[in-house]
Amino acid sequence: MDIEDFIGRTETINRESYDVKIRSKKITSKQEKCTNVDSFVPGAGQSVWVRTWGCSHNTSDSEYMSGLLAKAGYNVVGEGNDAEVWVLNSCTVKTPSEQQANNLVVQGQESGKKVIMAGCVSQAAPSEPWMKNLSIVGVKQIDRIVEVVGETLKGNNVRLLSRNRPDALLSLPKMRKNDLIEVLSISTGCLNNCTYCKTKMARGDLVSYPLAELVEQARAAFYDDGVKELWLTSEDLGAWGRDIGLTLPDLLKELVNVIPDGSMMRLGMTNPPYILDHLEEIAEILNHPKVYAFLHIPVQSASDAVLNDMKREYSRRHFEQIADYLIEKVPNIYIATDMILAFPTENEEDFQESMDLVRKYKFPSLFINQYYPRSGTPAARLKKIDTVEARRRTGAMSELFKSYSRYTSDRVGEVHNVIVTEIAADKLHAVGHNKCYEQILVPLEHCKMGEWIEVRVTSVTKFSMIAAPTSIVETVPEVSSPETTKFRFFYPMTVFFLVLILSYCIDKFISSGMLGNFGER
């Protein structure tokens, strides 16, 4: 999993319906839909909806498929109701995601849509009953999506699942979900054999994309397409290069050389074993002014016994060694992590170890996942923990997570430089990030997408800070203190009594006859 897939942060607008950039061909406005005739030319006005679940690698695959379809003349739309064809790019990591895909298949078929399954679910489990009579495109066939959509529109079911072919080229046409962000997959597959995970059944063993191709893709995204952020993604970022005699720092050092001024790079998810040998170099990269001081390191459990049963190939001590080093060497680093609770062999002591780790580091982003068995995995054969107990554990950790915040009230008044690249769900704020990837919301009318702005924090929430540009002079209302309130009543009363005394004196003066005597003189 990658951090951008959840947002324990403010939800942002789905930008799929907004204007997007396509690298190799400009797409015209919405074309007329195909009329009901006996024959038609695929791509001549038909509309396609691409729905994505899961990690940012899946997001990147969807952007490529959308770009290829748009180049072929299809109208890629942001709402399923507007499309004749649904391409569902699925995720096999979580049962809920797979269930959502299943439900959409049923919904689409009942609505008369042509449905195509793509992604890890279709690759790892194409024989599932609910995928019967569907066209399927595997993770290595995304470059053939135009062919699959065309055949499906003709009424044919197409299944392309072979892994015995090269991965799709990085230079394919691309329709970005956010035209300011390039999501770059640096590899596919992984080196691990985690007992609970089904992703390897879909993606296979590690295959690293060549260094030169990755650097060129990043350069083109920045200089040709004008993106402002480069997000690196894969099943395991830290493993890149181990199959081609290189290491992740080799790639990162080349990539920072092509980042233009005013742009940033963000590293994605890396498992602990693959950065232990490169901590000094990783810290150096994270301190680079054009790289966010952010890293997603999934620990999954703080119990060595559970980690061993998961075949995670590291211990709690290894994770703490990484976290402690980066916290010391990278100022204000933002570390995100994942926890899997109620794994079949997790007991109460194991669970409390994980709770203690959260208390120790107070992770600003914590993805809490209740274990679900994935068919075909070794862990699926183990006896499940009672559902009520599993929910208790996830609830307890969720409450712990809610009890603290990186964004505390003493941060009000801080000044930060942020780059604005997204729109918040309320449509009133833009979402910006500072060097350590903290989320800062700025009123839309006071900023421009893709540009840096200096802001002052005005308030905080659990997941973000609210700020205003420092260029705006705000009138601060007077704050009443007890002393101010006391004197506010004191002065009018004083005047009242003085007038009363003066009136009394005048009255006595007149009534005593002194005024008449004075006149006689």
Side-chain angles (χ1 to χ4, degrees):
M1 284 290 163
D2 214 340
I3 186 171
E4 56 271 15
D5 314 315
F6 297 93
I7 243 180
R9 44 177 208 175
T10 302
E11 183 184 2
T12 53
I13 292 176
N14 181 348
R15 297 176 63 91
E16 290 179 358
S17 60
Y18 286 72
D19 292 336
V20 291
K21 290 184 179 179
I22 299 178
R23 182 175 303 112
S24 61
K25 180 178 179 179
K26 183 177 180 181
I27 305 303
T28 58
S29 59
K30 189 172 182 179
Q31 304 170 27
E32 291 185 1
K33 292 186 177 181
C34 178
T35 55
N36 186 18
V37 293
D38 293 333
S39 63
F40 64 92
V41 178
Q46 295 90 30
S47 296
V48 182
W49 177 51
V50 180
R51 173 71 162 86
T52 310
W53 292 266
C55 68
S56 54
H57 195 158
N58 263 21
T59 298
S60 178
D61 285 352
S62 289
E63 290 179 347
Y64 280 122
M65 288 190 287
S66 297
L68 287 164
L69 289 166
K71 181 181 178 182
Y74 289 97
N75 185 28
V76 180
V77 297
E79 298 292 336
N81 291 335
D82 300 330
E84 291 102 325
V85 182
W86 289 4
V87 177
L88 308 180
N89 193 3
S90 57
C91 171
T92 190
V93 172
K94 288 187 173 184
T95 295
S97 298
E98 187 170 328
Q99 187 60 50
Q100 289 176 21
N102 185 347
N103 293 340
L104 268 182
V105 167
V106 175
Q107 179 184 333
Q109 291 177 326
E110 290 178 348
S111 302
K113 309 294 184 181
K114 301 290 187 180
V115 182
I116 298 168
M117 283 298 300
C120 293
V121 171
S122 58
Q123 183 73 65
S127 299
E128 290 288 334
W130 59 276
M131 284 194 281
K132 187 178 180 180
N133 300 322
L134 293 180
S135 287
I136 290 178
V137 56
V139 296
K140 283 184 173 285
Q141 283 82 22
I142 61 171
D143 56 338
R144 298 183 66 183
I145 187 62
V146 173
E147 174 187 349
V148 174
V149 169
E151 289 299 319
T152 302
L153 279 168
K154 295 175 184 176
N156 301 321
N157 287 332
V158 181
R159 295 198 159 206
L160 303 179
L161 294 168
S162 173
R163 288 207 196 100
N164 298 321
R165 69 191 304 265
D167 290 289
L169 297 175
L170 295 174
S171 57
L172 290 174
K174 196 171 193 179
M175 177 182 283
R176 295 186 178 90
K177 183 178 180 180
N178 183 330
D179 58 7
L180 295 174
I181 299 172
E182 165 71 1
V183 181
L184 180 60
S185 299
I186 67 171
S187 63
T188 185
C190 67
L191 295 174
N192 297 331
N193 293 285
C194 300
T195 59
Y196 58 84
C197 184
K198 202 170 181 178
T199 301
K200 192 163 187 174
M201 295 182 185
R203 297 283 183 179
D205 290 323
L206 175 70
V207 177
S208 300
Y209 296 124
L211 186 150
E213 292 182 18
L214 291 168
V215 173
E216 172 54 27
Q217 179 70 11
R219 187 210 63 77
F222 282 125
Y223 291 94
D224 297 345
D225 298 345
V227 305
K228 293 297 182 178
E229 290 185 351
L230 173 66
W231 291 3
L232 303 185
T233 184
S234 72
E235 279 64 58
D236 188 345
L237 207 73
W240 181 88
R242 290 180 175 246
D243 57 327
I244 56 176
L246 296 170
T247 64
L248 179 62
D250 295 326
L251 173 63
L252 299 180
K253 290 174 183 177
E254 293 298 324
L255 286 174
V256 295
N257 291 329
V258 300
I259 304 174
D261 292 341
S263 298
M264 298 293 289
M265 179 169 74
R266 195 197 77 177
L267 277 60
M269 185 275 286
T270 178
N271 285 309
Y274 304 116
I275 60 172
L276 273 168
D277 296 335
H278 310 291
L279 283 179
E280 185 176 347
E281 293 169 293
I282 295 295
E284 181 182 350
I285 290 293
L286 293 176
N287 279 317
H288 191 283
K290 296 179 182 179
V291 179
Y292 287 120
F294 163 88
L295 200 59
H296 179 195
I297 316 169
V299 64
Q300 308 298 13
S301 174
S303 164
D304 288 348
V306 174
L307 289 172
N308 184 62
D309 293 337
M310 291 178 171
K311 286 195 174 181
R312 290 292 289 170
E313 299 181 0
Y314 58 87
S315 67
R316 172 177 177 163
R317 180 180 61 82
H318 291 138
F319 177 86
E320 291 181 325
Q321 180 183 347
I322 295 168
D324 292 344
Y325 183 89
L326 293 177
I327 290 170
E328 178 187 356
K329 301 295 183 181
V330 184
N332 300 316
I333 186 172
Y334 191 116
I335 296 178
T337 196
D338 299 18
M339 284 285 186
I340 296 176
L341 301 181
F343 186 78
T345 63
E346 180 189 75
N347 59 31
E348 181 63 23
E349 182 179 351
D350 299 323
F351 169 64
Q352 290 302 329
E353 288 188 59
S354 294
M355 292 284 280
D356 289 341
L357 191 75
V358 175
R359 291 188 188 99
K360 176 179 179 179
Y361 290 104
K362 292 183 169 59
F363 303 103
S365 288
L366 174 63
F367 307 123
I368 303 168
N369 308 297
Q370 182 178 319
Y371 170 78
Y372 288 99
R374 314 302 299 134
S375 61
T377 61
R381 298 193 293 268
L382 302 174
K383 183 180 178 180
K384 281 185 61 179
I385 288 176
D386 177 71
T387 301
V388 173
E389 173 60 17
R391 288 176 178 170
R392 182 192 71 81
R393 294 181 191 178
T394 54
M397 185 167 284
S398 297
E399 287 303 311
L400 174 59
F401 177 63
K402 293 175 185 177
S403 70
Y404 65 84
S405 176
R406 182 182 179 104
Y407 309 116
T408 52
S409 58
D410 60 352
R411 303 196 62 181
V412 173
E414 289 183 354
V415 174
H416 295 274
N417 287 310
V418 301
I419 183 170
V420 177
T421 55
E422 298 173 89
I423 300 174
D426 63 7
K427 301 183 182 180
L428 301 175
H429 292 86
V431 181
H433 294 96
N434 58 12
K435 172 68 169 68
C436 51
Y437 208 66
E438 292 176 315
Q439 181 165 270
I440 301 177
L441 305 184
V442 187
L444 269 174
E445 67 267 25
H446 297 316
C447 58
K448 186 176 180 180
M449 301 300 292
E451 293 190 355
W452 287 85
I453 185 173
E454 185 183 77
V455 298
R456 187 183 304 277
V457 177
T458 57
S459 61
V460 297
T461 70
K462 166 65 177 174
F463 296 111
S464 63
M465 295 185 283
I466 316 298
T470 56
S471 58
I472 298 177
V473 179
E474 298 182 344
T475 302
V476 181
E478 181 183 351
V479 178
S480 297
S481 65
E483 291 76 13
T484 304
T485 304
K486 178 176 66 178
F487 285 109
R488 188 173 293 166
F489 287 99
F490 175 77
Y491 291 121
M493 293 300 293
T494 301
V495 173
F496 172 77
F497 281 115
L498 287 173
V499 171
L500 188 63
I501 293 169
L502 182 60
S503 299
Y504 174 79
C505 292
I506 292 172
D507 181 66
K508 296 297 284 185
F509 181 77
I510 295 173
S511 63
S512 65
M514 294 179 66
L515 182 60
N517 295 334
F518 179 80
E520 292 174 358
R521 293 178 185 176

